[in-house]
Amino acid sequence: DAVMTQSPLSLPVTLGQPASISCRSSQSLVHSDGNTYLNWFQQRPGQSPRRLIYKVSNRDSGVPDRFSGSGSGTDFTLKISRVEAEDVGVYYCMQSTYWPLTFGGGTKVEIK
Amino acid sequence: EVQLLESGGGLVQPGGSLKLSCAASGFTFSDSDMTWVRQAPGKGLEYLSHISANSAYTQYADSVKGRFTISRDNSKNTLFLQMNSLRAEDTAVYYCGRRPPGSLDYWGQGTLVTVSS
């Protein structure tokens, strides 16, 4: 299985400041079709997960442009350019290149 | 608007069975692969099972293989998860999700399964 490792585990951030979450895979996520199937999800407290980013850097409809994804191969990053109060929650990366789909352990974003 | 609504969760004794349902609307269910994911209390996300649009293909995580069965009824836009031989470690919120090629986009609100005597 592709093991997904996120860091940090917890990320206290000041409102208006940037935040960055790292996600590393135990193997390259480049699919045989040439795509890299790395996704990012946000889970606000008490809610189900919501997809933010797919295929490394494609933002879902309705996702604020302060969220951006980047990376390649085995190393990926989710950045929030200016954290807002509504961004509090746990963020997960997920690879969908290989079966089974696997998730990172999550990064909890909180306001300082 | 895509909507997924899980039901069927509850309290069950170890060794017991439960069948979850996921009612889908807002998209062409019969064209969509679907999945189940769970989240134990205070823990991360675990991918459980996948079913292709026409039910021809199913897969399971090792943790549930042989105990859980995924199925669907395209005439009723409904996804199912039959869970047998339940264990305490199966206690979790169970989510259904739509599985487009290369991703998992929409999730339901989840249904809680508690396995306890």
Side-chain angles (χ1 to χ4, degrees), chain A residues 50-54 58-64, chain B residues 106:
Chain A
R50 164 201 182 195
R51 193 180 70 177
L52 300 175
I53 302 281
Y54 62 97
N58 294 274
R59 227 176 4 254
D60 271 278
S61 175
V63 174
Chain B
Y106 290 95

Side-chain angles (χ1 to χ4, degrees), chain A residues 20-77:
Chain A
S20 181
I21 300 170
S22 171
C23 175
R24 290 184 173 171
S25 173
S26 60
Q27 52 193 291
S28 172
L29 297 185
V30 179
H31 193 275
S32 56
D33 66 8
N35 290 305
T36 300
Y37 295 111
L38 187 283
N39 307 263
W40 288 97
F41 296 90
Q42 174 195 61
Q43 188 174 31
R44 291 172 170 153
Q47 295 186 13
S48 55
R50 164 201 182 195
R51 193 180 70 177
L52 300 175
I53 302 281
Y54 62 97
K55 286 197 288 186
V56 181
S57 60
N58 294 274
R59 227 176 4 254
D60 271 278
S61 175
V63 174
D65 60 8
R66 64 179 180 274
F67 289 92
S68 63
S70 62
S72 62
T74 61
D75 290 346
F76 304 91
T77 302

Side-chain angles (χ1 to χ4, degrees), chain A residues 2 5 9 22 25 61 69 71 86 89 103:
Chain A
T5 304
L9 201 60
S22 171
S25 173
S61 175
E86 65 179 17
F103 294 90

Side-chain angles (χ1 to χ4, degrees), chain B residues 25-117:
Chain B
S25 61
F27 64 102
T28 306
F29 181 73
S30 57
D31 287 345
S32 300
D33 286 16
M34 298 293 293
T35 185
W36 287 98
V37 175
R38 70 183 176 186
Q39 185 171 35
K43 301 296 184 182
L45 300 165
E46 180 186 15
Y47 189 73
L48 295 181
S49 185
H50 171 100
I51 186 167
S52 62
N54 62 3
S55 301
Y57 179 77
T58 59
Q59 283 199 325
Y60 299 91
D62 288 345
S63 58
V64 302
K65 198 175 298 183
R67 300 189 299 125
F68 289 12
T69 302
I70 192 171
S71 62
R72 63 192 296 160
D73 184 340
N74 285 347
S75 69
K76 295 182 179 178
N77 289 350
T78 304
L79 175 72
F80 301 102
L81 186 67
Q82 175 68 47
M83 305 186 296
N84 298 330
S85 303
L86 284 163
R87 308 164 179 165
E89 54 265 35
D90 295 318
T91 294
V93 174
Y94 286 72
Y95 297 102
C96 64
R98 189 175 75 166
R99 177 88 164 84
S103 192
L104 195 174
D105 55 4
Y106 290 95
W107 302 59
Q109 89 293 341
T111 187
L112 176 62
V113 172
T114 302
V115 184
S116 175
S117 55

